[in-house]
Amino acid sequence: MRGFFCSFKMMKPAAFGKQEHLKRRKQIDALFAEGKSVTAFPVRVKYQWVPRAEGAVPVLAGVSASRRAFKHAADRNRLKRLLREAYRLQKASLVQTLSGTALQAQLFFIYTNKTTIAPFSVVYEAVGACLKQLQQKASAYHEDRH
């Protein structure tokens, strides 16, 4: 068949594509105004559960590092890269938990150590601990609603 193209939008399990980024100012402001947080030093995660729109991804995430604590953009960019990579490698279980529900998680990872840039292994462990807490909270939240 000429001219027939079939497009399937499949997420790679360990990707962090553009459609998964939390970037709308309204969503971020609402998250910081109404959201809750979990912490595993040196990472804090602001989160909230919202109803998921048709065809939307189960988790939206953003990252941040303090300009006041890290004056050089290169340092902030390194921290954000570390946070994104640690999240990307460990997000699968949370995404799988939320895939069967009508909920969307909006997450914002904040690097809280004000003095040093932690090595990747420390950031990886902290993000993993936060995601484990969030997975438990998502399961409890979903059970409470049903």
Side-chain angles (χ1 to χ4, degrees), residues 80-93:
K80 291 187 286 185
R81 258 194 324 274
L82 291 174
L83 288 169
R84 276 193 298 267
E85 182 67 3
Y87 168 71
R88 182 186 74 80
L89 293 172
Q90 301 179 79
K91 71 176 184 162
S93 58

Side-chain angles (χ1 to χ4, degrees), residues 55-111:
V57 295
V59 182
L60 292 176
V63 296
S64 177
S66 169
R67 185 184 295 173
R68 186 178 294 170
F70 298 96
K71 303 288 186 201
H72 300 283
D75 293 338
R76 291 192 303 277
N77 291 339
R78 168 135 180 93
L79 288 168
K80 291 187 286 185
R81 258 194 324 274
L82 291 174
L83 288 169
R84 276 193 298 267
E85 182 67 3
Y87 168 71
R88 182 186 74 80
L89 293 172
Q90 301 179 79
K91 71 176 184 162
S93 58
L94 180 62
V95 170
Q96 187 176 15
T97 301
L98 291 171
S99 289
T101 69
L103 290 177
Q104 181 181 60
Q106 294 180 347
L107 313 176
F108 206 86
F109 293 85
I110 304 163
Y111 187 81

Side-chain angles (χ1 to χ4, degrees), residues 104-139:
Q104 181 181 60
Q106 294 180 347
L107 313 176
F108 206 86
F109 293 85
I110 304 163
Y111 187 81
T112 58
N113 188 344
K114 297 195 180 339
T115 56
T116 59
I117 297 175
F120 179 70
S121 59
V122 173
V123 174
Y124 184 86
E125 292 295 325
V127 169
C130 288
L131 288 174
K132 190 174 280 191
Q133 291 178 50
L134 286 170
Q135 188 174 358
Q136 293 168 350
K137 289 177 185 291
S139 297

Side-chain angles (χ1 to χ4, degrees), residues 18-80:
K18 201 179 254 190
Q19 72 278 4
E20 298 176 68
H21 287 238
L22 179 64
K23 45 189 179 215
R24 290 196 177 129
R25 173 58 59 192
K26 249 184 180 177
Q27 288 176 329
I28 294 170
D29 289 344
L31 175 61
F32 278 90
E34 304 158 14
K36 298 176 179 147
S37 66
V38 294
T39 304
F41 188 79
V43 176
R44 184 170 81 227
V45 181
K46 291 290 281 185
Y47 72 94
Q48 72 176 1
W49 316 114
V50 296
R52 184 166 29 149
E54 186 69 31
V57 295
V59 182
L60 292 176
V63 296
S64 177
S66 169
R67 185 184 295 173
R68 186 178 294 170
F70 298 96
K71 303 288 186 201
H72 300 283
D75 293 338
R76 291 192 303 277
N77 291 339
R78 168 135 180 93
L79 288 168
K80 291 187 286 185

